[in-house]
Amino acid sequence: MEQGKIKKGYADIAAFYRRQIRDGELAPGERLPTVTEIGREHGVARNTAARAVSQLRTERLIETRAGAGTVVASTPGVISGADRLDRLNRTGRRYAHGEESTDHRVAIRSCMDDRTCRALDIEPGEEVVLRIRTFTQDGRPTTVGLSIIHPRAARAVPEITEEAPLPKFWQEIYRDRTGLQIVKGERTAMARQASQDELDALQIDAPPHTAVPVLVTHVTFHDEEGPIEHWEDVYVPGLEVPMPT
């Protein structure tokens, strides 16, 4: 081994292709390199490459198809809004293959949710900016994404209060105008009962007054002046959502 060069293990190889799949560098149905090709490309033994491929298959990111070999799975999981932002920063892509967002809404509301008030360090009843959208994969709803933005952000980026699409992610505009860096906090997850609005957006047909549990992830963003945005993603029941390790 060359001095100073770290030897790759199977987990490193799996992480490389996992990132390519999540970022859309490898599209659903696209062929994965063979075990021999992976070993040659990454300079690892064949059994190391084979173990990495096995891990990706266990995670259902890849699958074997007759006549095609090992390919990226048709629906390789759904990622959170925080991970979409990471992907956007890495690749410039807003969406993965087959992914879109619909039903974009913007509103200014008094915040009465205790969790959100604590996250944004505001008093109950203070107005916040809500930006809501529904994400779809291959035409099927997967996630309702809710951005709850601190009112001070609107002073620098008043466009966030308008329905019109922004030319780029609002945090980038905020950084450009204020010089303040925004950092992402820890992502957490919980289960709760879906609201009727969420059921409608996710196209879940449930009998009236039926409790439908959904997974919800949260993350809060901060700048030097304090919390500035709180994200909430609500997922269709049954989806597998990768979580940070």
Side-chain angles (χ1 to χ4, degrees), residues 13 31 39 50 55 57 68 71 76 113 118 129 134 140 143 152 156 216 223 225 227:
I13 308 302
R31 175 183 169 275
Q55 179 171 337
R57 184 174 287 110
V71 300
D113 179 70
R118 290 195 302 270
V129 180
T134 301
R140 297 187 299 271
T143 319
R152 65 184 173 85
V216 184
D223 66 7
E225 297 180 7

Side-chain angles (χ1 to χ4, degrees), residues 55-90:
Q55 179 171 337
L56 295 171
R57 184 174 287 110
T58 298
E59 295 173 6
R60 294 196 282 186
L61 293 174
I62 60 175
E63 58 193 20
T64 301
R65 293 184 186 172
T70 301
V71 300
V72 177
S74 300
T75 305
V78 174
I79 65 174
S80 75
D83 287 336
R84 290 191 196 98
L85 176 57
D86 291 341
R87 181 183 62 205
L88 176 64
N89 290 334
R90 285 193 303 268

Side-chain angles (χ1 to χ4, degrees), residues 157-171:
V157 191
E159 299 97 313
I160 62 175
T161 64
E162 302 169 1
E163 292 281 353
L166 298 174
K168 56 182 178 179
F169 184 46
W170 85 265
Q171 288 187 7

